[in-house]
Amino acid sequence: MSASPATRKPVYLAVYDTLADWETGHATAHLARGGYEIRTVGPSTRPVTSLGGLRIGPDLALADVRPEDGALLILPGADLWDTSDDLAPFARAAGEFLAAGTPVAAICGATAGLARAGLLDDRAHTSAVSFYLAATGYAGGGHYVDADAVTDGNLVTAGPTEPVAFAREVLRLLGVYDGEVLDAWYRLFHDSDPEAYAVLQKAGAR
């Protein structure tokens, strides 16, 4: 059973220059509707600019975030994951979150960042395609799963074309939706299934 909204810890959403705007919106919107506060975490508190040109002023600097204070760390994709080492501190933070038992959810290029940090060597995971991660030289190729999104313990991974599946796994992990309601939520937002909308209405989910 998930904690009540009054006692839930915040969800940390990493934000940095070139972040892929579209990859985490389903997850953060429905986490917020489920009672979770979303707090943005940047390299510093200086504004960053997304791939879509959105300027975001982070609520917190990464150095001020502690794993035990959060419910989840979300790492979006970004060009910087593949073009520099600027985001390596976020991968290291993910390792600290996982070691502390706090979940991490990584999508797109962030999965490559985790691979480079050795965090996928012993965990089932997915990404855009297997050879994208293989190019990092990581040792976890045998744990790669060809799926829309994968959860292994407290780690969620997904590729860039699967923001709805990514959100599905996050919502399941934090107990926002489950069972028939979670299935209906996914069918509504992934497949535009009108019957799924009726299920959500009946359950009082949005």
Side-chain angles (χ1 to χ4, degrees):
M1 180 180 296
S2 61
S4 68
T7 60
R8 284 175 181 159
K9 296 178 181 180
V11 168
Y12 294 129
L13 172 66
V15 294
Y16 21 70
D17 287 331
T18 74
L19 78 90
D21 317 62
W22 64 91
E23 292 176 346
T24 60
H26 286 87
T28 55
H30 289 273
L31 286 169
R33 282 185 164 184
Y36 284 93
E37 177 189 9
I38 310 298
R39 305 205 71 192
T40 53
V41 179
S44 69
T45 54
R46 289 183 296 181
V48 299
T49 304
S50 75
L51 280 174
L54 300 180
R55 285 177 59 79
I56 302 167
D59 297 315
L60 298 164
L62 182 61
D64 297 325
V65 171
R66 300 190 308 168
E68 59 269 27
D69 293 337
L72 172 72
L73 173 64
I74 300 178
L75 298 176
D79 287 350
L80 286 178
W81 283 112
D82 295 320
T83 59
S84 76
D85 294 326
D86 290 358
L87 301 186
F90 285 92
R92 288 195 292 272
E96 294 168 1
F97 270 68
L98 291 170
T102 304
V104 172
I107 185 169
C108 188
T111 62
L114 298 191
R116 294 185 187 97
L119 298 176
L120 304 184
D121 288 352
D122 301 306
R123 294 178 172 92
H125 60 276
T126 194
S127 185
V129 288
S130 60
F131 56 81
Y132 169 63
L133 291 187
T136 67
Y138 83 131
H143 297 285
Y144 187 89
V145 181
D146 189 8
D148 55 8
V150 171
T151 299
D152 184 338
N154 281 342
L155 177 65
V156 174
T157 52
T161 61
E162 299 292 349
V164 180
F166 179 69
R168 178 195 67 210
E169 297 303 299
V170 167
L171 297 174
R172 188 202 321 270
L173 189 62
L174 292 193
V176 176
Y177 303 133
D178 58 18
E180 180 185 32
V181 174
L182 181 64
D183 177 68
W185 181 90
Y186 178 75
R187 288 188 288 112
L188 176 63
F189 286 96
H190 188 266
D191 304 323
S192 301
D193 183 347
E195 294 183 4
Y197 181 77
V199 174
L200 294 177
Q201 287 288 94
K202 183 178 180 180
R206 296 178 290 169

